[in-house]
Amino acid sequence: MSPTQPSQPRNPATATPQPAPESARVIAALEGVGVRRYSSGQVILDAVDWTVRSGEHWALLGANGAGKTTLLRLVGALMFPTVGTVEVLGHRLGSVDVRELRAVIGLVSGAQKVPQDATGHTVVLTGATGTVQPLWRKYDAATRERAHELLTELDCKELADRPFGVCSGGQRARILIARALMAEPRLLLLDEPFNALDLPSREDLIDALHRLAVGRPELATVTVTHHLEELSPAIGHALLLRDGRVQAAGPVDEVLTGERMTACFGRPIEVSRHEGRWLARSGKR
């Protein structure tokens, strides 16, 4: 391309998010974190050190019971550690009103309560107030338009007037992501967003998350999943948990290896990558 020729705009569906520099703002920092169940003394998390910076996209993987959801709840200011420190968006848990902190963290979870008869647009609107039911007097024209823009950004504007209860699993996931973005969070947490999705719905959601990463370079995301196939090409970092301890954390090329996946899940696993997408399968014994 000549110096005088204008550059072509990037296609968000195929563009690759730029990796966050080491100097990027720290979004979440955990040091020596442990969580124990008081009733039984069971160790859920132990000696966890982890840092998430702006613009980074993390995958959180491990077998059932490894502590993934507990770790996500800590970063989401939904619980406190038994030992260690957790700082989120510059605030240390235990010295900040977590209700205010939660209001600026985007969270998408299958456990969220959503009125099944509410339209997609209404569900997204409730993200502005952090409520289950809409608070109509709180939503001005700009807020309502913002909800429509987010539905468009997540490629589901046609769901604006459709009841949430009749939407497919993939459509619901995209509506909930749009809802989470109403607060303009710098951190978006996704707790198994691909659960029970069929193949087309999974791919639609992966594409939507990839476009989101490209279009919002400052946004940090953490996605809990069981399957490498669910990771979009935007995922640049991964953390492996086993029995509450970090097995590996860092750039995906260093963490998502057959050797480390085998050690994490306790059975031979082969890992491959093609055009930014991952595949894991049981290896030969």
Side-chain angles (χ1 to χ4, degrees):
M1 180 180 296
S2 66
T4 58
Q5 183 178 354
S7 60
Q8 295 299 313
R10 293 190 302 168
N11 180 351
T14 58
T16 300
Q18 298 302 305
E22 286 299 315
S23 60
R25 181 185 311 171
V26 172
I27 297 297
L30 287 71
E31 293 185 7
V33 165
V35 174
R36 290 168 176 79
R37 184 167 287 132
Y38 287 107
S39 58
S40 63
Q42 177 189 2
V43 176
I44 301 173
L45 291 175
D46 187 29
V48 173
D49 295 322
W50 183 33
T51 301
V52 177
R53 293 181 171 84
S54 60
E56 291 182 345
H57 303 286
W58 283 80
L60 187 54
L61 298 118
N64 288 335
K68 300 185 300 298
T69 296
T70 298
L71 185 53
L72 201 71
R73 286 175 58 81
L74 286 171
V75 177
L78 294 171
M79 64 181 295
F80 296 90
T82 307
V83 296
T85 62
V86 177
E87 292 190 3
V88 183
L89 300 176
H91 301 283
R92 180 171 296 188
L93 299 192
S95 62
V96 64
D97 187 336
V98 292
R99 293 170 299 181
E100 296 181 2
L101 190 54
R102 291 169 191 160
V104 292
I105 299 172
L107 174 64
V108 176
S109 169
Q112 288 174 284
K113 295 181 180 179
V114 178
Q116 299 298 294
D117 59 345
T119 66
H121 184 257
T122 298
V123 171
V124 176
L125 273 179
T126 63
T129 47
T131 56
V132 174
Q133 298 292 339
L135 303 180
W136 294 111
R137 294 183 180 180
K138 298 285 187 178
Y139 310 136
D140 58 17
T143 303
R144 294 168 187 257
E145 179 59 28
R146 173 71 177 147
H148 281 297
E149 291 172 354
L150 287 170
L151 285 169
T152 299
E153 184 177 358
L154 271 297
D155 197 25
C156 55
K157 63 180 180 180
E158 74 280 2
L159 305 178
D161 298 320
R162 187 176 304 179
F164 186 82
V166 303
C167 293
S168 69
Q171 291 169 339
R172 293 186 187 192
R174 282 182 283 159
I175 290 172
L176 290 177
I177 292 171
R179 178 186 185 276
L181 293 173
M182 279 295 287
E184 291 291 343
R186 286 183 282 154
L187 175 63
L188 178 63
L189 307 176
L190 304 157
D191 192 3
E192 299 191 41
F194 302 95
N195 189 32
L197 298 189
D198 60 20
L199 181 60
S201 296
R202 183 192 77 180
E203 293 301 302
D204 286 343
L205 183 54
I206 289 172
D207 289 344
L209 290 173
H210 187 230
R211 289 194 304 270
L212 192 67
V214 172
R216 295 171 176 259
E218 294 298 316
L219 180 67
T221 67
V222 179
T223 302
V224 172
T225 181
H226 288 285
H227 307 290
L228 296 192
E229 294 79 7
E230 295 173 348
L231 302 182
S232 90
I235 297 293
H237 293 76
L239 184 148
L240 301 181
L241 272 179
R242 179 168 181 170
D243 297 329
R245 297 186 67 92
V246 176
Q247 296 290 295
V252 286
D253 290 334
E254 299 174 10
V255 174
L256 300 183
T257 65
E259 181 180 1
R260 284 183 162 165
M261 290 288 288
T262 295
C264 182
F265 287 91
R267 68 175 298 160
I269 295 178
E270 296 177 355
V271 176
S272 59
R273 193 179 191 187
H274 178 66
E275 294 184 352
R277 296 292 298 276
W278 294 87
L279 172 66
R281 61 182 180 180
S282 181
K284 297 179 181 179
R285 293 186 180 274

